[in-house]
Amino acid sequence: QVQLVESGGGSVQAGGSLRLSCAASGYTYSSYCMGWFRQAPGKEREGVAAIDSDGSTSYADSVKGRFTISQDNAKNTLYLQMNSLKPEDTAMYYCAAKDSGSWCHNYSWYYYGMDYWGKGTLVTISS
């Protein structure tokens, strides 16, 4: 059974940085797409960034140049480094995965989501 557990959320001032982590277990697929999504209060969930099993990445326009997604395969951990944070980045951040590397291509992950989800970690940015 796939389990995704996020950590690293917190409260920082605008302009600051945070690094989110997602520990994955029970995931044995050789080809996959993993990503980060977020949902702000009163808003729909939106995709933030994704990475496939080959290390190719894609980002939402709103975070390009500020956020970096990465993975440590030895630790089965996904990361999201968030820099130059803005108040509008405030949201619950979710780690997600799908057992298809091609799902990361052409922004399928962004429009259609994933199959497996963590419970989220809260990020609050104050102005």
Side-chain angles (χ1 to χ4, degrees):
Q1 183 177 357
V2 176
Q3 286 192 322
L4 304 171
V5 180
E6 304 94 336
S7 61
S11 299
V12 298
Q13 289 189 326
S17 299
L18 280 173
R19 188 176 81 155
L20 306 183
S21 299
C22 171
S25 61
Y27 208 82
T28 60
Y29 302 104
S30 58
S31 176
Y32 58 81
C33 178
M34 295 192 72
W36 292 94
F37 293 74
R38 66 187 182 186
Q39 186 167 20
K43 295 187 176 182
E44 293 187 354
R45 183 191 68 201
E46 64 173 352
V48 175
I51 186 168
D52 69 14
S53 40
D54 292 330
S56 297
T57 59
S58 52
Y59 296 89
D61 287 344
S62 59
V63 306
K64 281 181 181 176
R66 300 189 298 122
F67 291 11
T68 302
I69 189 171
S70 63
Q71 58 189 349
D72 186 331
N73 292 331
K75 295 182 178 180
N76 292 328
T77 302
L78 181 73
Y79 301 101
L80 184 69
Q81 177 67 43
M82 305 186 294
N83 299 327
S84 302
L85 284 161
K86 305 175 181 179
E88 51 263 43
D89 293 319
T90 294
M92 186 71 80
Y93 283 71
Y94 299 92
C95 174
K98 185 174 177 69
D99 56 346
S100 169
S102 63
W103 197 248
C104 274
H105 306 161
N106 299 317
Y107 281 82
S108 294
W109 63 275
Y110 183 85
Y111 293 110
Y112 305 115
M114 303 279 204
D115 289 339
Y116 305 104
W117 296 86
K119 293 184 178 180
T121 185
L122 182 63
V123 172
T124 304
I125 311 301
S126 58
S127 58

